[in-house]
């Protein structure tokens, strides 16, 4: 027989995830200085629902795939994100950034919802492309007065933290009898959120 305490404990990961989602808001990335009021780079990944969902989803998907994907896939995202950030710092034109970011939310959500596994190399290349777009947005929108190195370390640290939160949440869910189904449902919710964010781009 399950006690009320056990029931609450089982859903703590979901409660945590919900709080993180509520704390962010959907926002289009419109140009340099768009988030100057938020301060350092560590806050930028939390400034939009698109960044937040994608980074949590990468952690969750890597855990769902298991094996070497748990660390290789998030590492590929972070490495590519740093490269994208450098391009953003230089204001180099990269077309389709917003579309790429929102598309990453949709595709990562679908991968979780469908429980799709790929060879680690393919998965790493895919999230690497996503990371390029996310990193570009971080770099392009850096407040002029911020130090580039400090700003980069900030958004990298937050990204890694979100990957860990997503992976740990998925790991805890998968230990439950119905956890796999719950994780898939969260994946579908992520994908639908991505579709909604995509519609916001064209309004």
């Amino acid at each position: 027989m399950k006690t009320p305490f056990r029931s609450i404990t089982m859903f703590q990961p979901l409660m945590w995830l919900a709080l993180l989602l509520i704390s962010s808001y959907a926002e289009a990335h419109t140009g340099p200085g768009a988030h100057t009021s938020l301060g350092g780079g560590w806050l930028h990944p939390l400034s939009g629902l698109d960044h937040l969902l994608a980074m949590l989803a990468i952690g969750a998907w890597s855990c769902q795939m298991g094996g070497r994907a748990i660390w290789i896939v998030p590492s590929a995202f972070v490495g590519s994100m740093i490269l994208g950030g450098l391009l953003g710092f230089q204001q180099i034109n990269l077309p389709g950034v917003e579309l790429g970011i929102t598309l990453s939310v949709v595709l990562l959500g679908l991968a979780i919802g469908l429980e799709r596994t790929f060879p680690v190399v393919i998965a790493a290349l895919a999230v690497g492309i996503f990371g390029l777009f996310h990193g570009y947005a971080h770099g392009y929108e850096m407040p002029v007065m911020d130090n580039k190195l400090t700003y980069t370390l900030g958004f990298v640290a937050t990204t890694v933290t979100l990957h860990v939160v997503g992976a740990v949440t998925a790991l805890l869910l998968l230990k439950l009898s119905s956890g796999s189904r719950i994780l898939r449902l969260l994946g579908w919710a992520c994908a639908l959120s991505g579709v909604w964010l995509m519609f916001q781009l064209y309004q």
Side-chain angles (χ1 to χ4, degrees), residues 84 87-88 91-98 129 132-137 140:
L87 295 176
Q91 304 288 292
I92 296 173
N93 183 45
L94 182 64
V97 171
E98 289 305 320
I129 295 172
L132 193 68
F133 289 122
H134 284 269
Y136 182 89
Y140 191 79

Side-chain angles (χ1 to χ4, degrees), residues 39-116:
W42 69 274
L43 277 170
H44 196 272
L46 303 176
S47 67
L49 190 61
D50 44 11
H51 292 309
L52 183 62
L53 285 176
M55 293 170 190
L56 289 171
I58 285 172
W61 186 42
S62 65
C63 184
Q64 191 182 52
M65 286 190 289
R68 294 184 302 161
I70 293 177
W71 64 272
I72 291 179
V73 171
S75 297
F77 182 89
V78 172
S80 183
M81 183 183 66
I82 293 172
L83 175 59
L86 294 176
L87 295 176
F89 288 149
Q90 300 302 318
Q91 304 288 292
I92 296 173
N93 183 45
L94 182 64
V97 171
E98 289 305 320
L99 180 60
I101 291 173
T102 53
L103 192 60
S104 72
V105 178
V106 175
L107 295 179
L108 288 166
L110 286 175
I112 296 171
L114 296 171
E115 282 190 308
R116 292 301 304 270

Side-chain angles (χ1 to χ4, degrees), residues 9-23:
T9 303
M10 287 170 56
F11 287 96
Q12 278 181 345
L14 293 179
M15 293 165 62
W16 192 7
L17 181 60
L19 287 173
L20 280 172
L21 294 179
I22 292 170
S23 70

